[in-house]
Amino acid sequence: MKKGDIWIGVVLLGVLAWFIVPFLANEETSGASASAVITVNGEHYRTVELTESAHEIEIETSRGYNLLRISDNGIEMIEADCPDQLCLGFGHVHRKGGTIVCLPNRIFVEIIGADGNGDDVDAVVF
């Protein structure tokens, strides 16, 4: 082995660690239960724990009707009477920091971690 081969091995191990360490950190925290904070018309409506068992939350306001389903440690909007139906396209949200938004009915759902915080900042650009 030459000196250059050793450096290539060190660089490859560094790159491998760069990708594996964040993955392992996410696996350790995935066991902690998360919650969903539901905000209606800018005011806190309800905070629910995301569990395996399925149950539904109906939200009926003067602006409209929405139905949320909690299942498989996540939450999804399954029914809404808003005209654009965009909120149904968010799908099943389960990661910390994930959101579901229904603008016409002014409903905002955000997933927070077990510590009560949303996801950390990915990057800052100056």
Side-chain angles (χ1 to χ4, degrees):
M1 282 187 121
K2 296 181 181 179
K3 192 175 183 180
D5 294 336
I6 294 172
W7 280 109
I8 290 175
V10 169
V11 169
L12 288 176
L13 285 175
V15 169
L16 188 62
W18 180 269
F19 288 103
I20 290 178
V21 170
F23 176 75
L24 293 175
N26 285 339
E27 287 297 318
E28 292 173 4
T29 59
S30 65
S33 63
S35 299
V37 177
I38 303 169
T39 306
V40 177
N41 204 20
E43 296 179 12
H44 181 266
Y45 178 76
R46 190 169 167 188
T47 300
V48 294
E49 186 175 348
L50 302 179
T51 60
E52 285 285 329
S53 62
H55 61 281
E56 297 175 349
I57 298 172
E58 292 184 24
I59 302 172
E60 192 161 351
T61 66
S62 61
R63 295 189 152 273
Y65 172 80
N66 294 75
L67 183 62
L68 294 164
R69 176 180 293 146
I70 297 171
S71 64
D72 299 325
N73 294 321
I75 190 167
E76 64 182 317
M77 185 84 64
I78 60 171
E79 192 176 324
D81 64 355
C82 56
D84 58 10
Q85 300 284 303
L86 291 176
C87 52
L88 302 179
F90 284 91
H92 188 262
V93 181
H94 60 278
R95 291 192 175 182
K96 188 168 76 168
T99 59
I100 299 173
V101 180
C102 182
L103 288 177
N105 295 346
R106 295 186 182 175
I107 295 176
F108 179 74
V109 180
E110 181 181 19
I111 307 298
I112 59 171
D115 58 358
N117 294 322
D119 207 4
D120 292 335
V121 176
D122 291 334
V124 177
V125 179
F126 293 98

